Amino acid sequence: MSEDTKTLEEKFRRQNKSCFILGASGETGKVLLQELLERNIFSKITLIGRRQLSFEDKAYENLIQEVVDFEKLDDYAAAFKGHDVGYCCLGTTRAKAGADGFIRVDHDYVLKSAELAKAGGCSHFHLESSRGADKKSSFLYLKVKGQVEAEIEALGFDRLAIYRPGVLLVDRQESRPGEWLARKFFSAFSAVCSNSMSISIQAVAKAMVSNTLLQPEQHAEILENKDIASLGKVNGK
């Protein structure tokens, strides 16, 4: 870690800010939480999800957990109040939830959460999206991702960071044969050349945390796969 990064972390830490994570039980969310705990830049971290999560490590003992019903989020507006920064790693797949279920989670839940966060005083929102997100796309997945990006940008956060990673290189606990084959291919491919199509889950998490420390001129920014890789270099390599 460079001295510049250490200085940024210490400066941010002194601001005594709090954050919340949506989707902390998912692949990106789990690694993001680990990264935030390790770098210790927030005075308070809240997990917002549909169930209570269990942790054995003492590093997790000071976390606050808010259990909500995503179908009735307006009833849980208090869970979204008082946070400076929000991280959204919420998502599912069409194969797992069906078309309607996918739209409900990746659009409806995400957008409503962002609305409540904004109303609750959150000024800085980080959204995990997808490479190729486009509200005009003919592909449902990319269209929904693009739509929710645009609608969250319209909410007017003081700062919005949208991350569009490619294929996530991670060993999921659940079995998704198609994704497993894609990960194996891109992992091998990226080992011999620069690859804009894939990225490790650790790099995404590191990029999200590192980007939190920065102060870009624009209020809203989109980080494509190569931008995420640059910010999320593991151990500076």
Side-chain angles (χ1 to χ4, degrees):
M1 182 183 296
S2 69
E3 284 298 318
D4 286 343
T5 301
K6 289 181 180 179
T7 300
L8 286 171
E9 287 184 349
E10 182 55 36
K11 182 179 179 181
F12 191 93
R13 192 177 293 118
R14 288 199 298 266
Q15 296 178 55
N16 198 37
K17 292 189 175 184
S18 65
C19 75
F20 70 83
I21 302 175
L22 285 162
S25 63
E27 298 297 344
T28 303
K30 285 188 292 188
V31 180
L32 172 63
L33 175 57
Q34 292 172 358
E35 185 72 13
L36 287 172
L37 289 173
E38 288 176 8
R39 296 173 72 169
N40 189 33
I41 61 172
F42 287 103
S43 61
K44 182 174 71 173
I45 298 176
T46 301
L47 310 183
I48 301 177
R50 61 184 177 82
R51 61 185 174 85
Q52 190 88 5
L53 302 180
S54 299
F55 303 101
E56 296 181 359
D57 195 312
K58 288 186 177 180
Y60 295 83
E61 63 185 4
N62 292 323
L63 293 174
I64 296 171
Q65 296 200 50
E66 296 281 358
V67 177
V68 303
D69 181 348
F70 283 99
E71 293 292 333
K72 303 175 181 178
L73 276 179
D74 280 322
D75 295 342
Y76 299 88
F80 293 87
K81 290 183 178 179
H83 308 288
D84 299 292
V85 181
Y87 298 94
C88 182
C89 303
L90 199 63
T92 187
T93 65
R94 182 172 181 171
K96 183 177 181 179
D100 291 341
F102 165 69
I103 294 171
R104 190 162 63 252
V105 173
D106 283 59
H107 179 275
D108 300 351
Y109 293 176
V110 170
L111 179 59
K112 188 61 180 180
S113 295
E115 290 173 346
L116 291 173
K118 179 68 165 56
C122 178
S123 60
H124 186 178
F125 197 78
H126 296 260
L127 174 66
E128 182 185 24
S129 186
S130 172
R131 181 178 185 274
D134 182 353
K135 63 183 180 181
K136 297 180 180 180
S137 176
S138 57
F139 294 98
L140 178 66
Y141 182 84
L142 299 180
K143 181 178 181 179
V144 169
K145 292 292 187 181
Q147 287 175 333
V148 80
E149 284 183 3
E151 289 167 319
I152 289 178
E153 182 175 357
L155 295 178
F157 283 97
D158 290 348
R159 186 177 172 207
L160 170 64
I162 297 171
Y163 303 83
R164 291 178 175 177
V167 174
L168 295 174
L169 302 178
V170 55
D171 293 326
R172 292 184 186 275
Q173 291 182 344
E174 59 187 276
S175 177
R176 297 180 185 176
E179 288 190 1
W180 183 87
L181 288 172
R183 289 196 300 274
K184 290 298 182 182
F185 170 79
F186 285 118
S187 182
F189 188 70
S190 61
V192 296
C193 65
S194 176
N195 183 17
S196 62
M197 299 289 288
S198 66
I199 192 168
S200 73
I201 200 79
Q202 290 81 8
V204 176
K206 286 180 179 293
M208 293 177 82
V209 180
S210 294
N211 195 33
T212 302
L213 306 173
L214 305 179
Q215 295 182 323
E217 294 182 0
Q218 67 271 37
H219 290 296
E221 61 179 338
I222 294 177
L223 291 90
E224 299 291 353
N225 201 73
K226 63 180 181 179
D227 304 312
I228 300 171
S230 179
L231 265 178
K233 288 180 180 178
V234 181
N235 297 323
K237 300 179 180 179

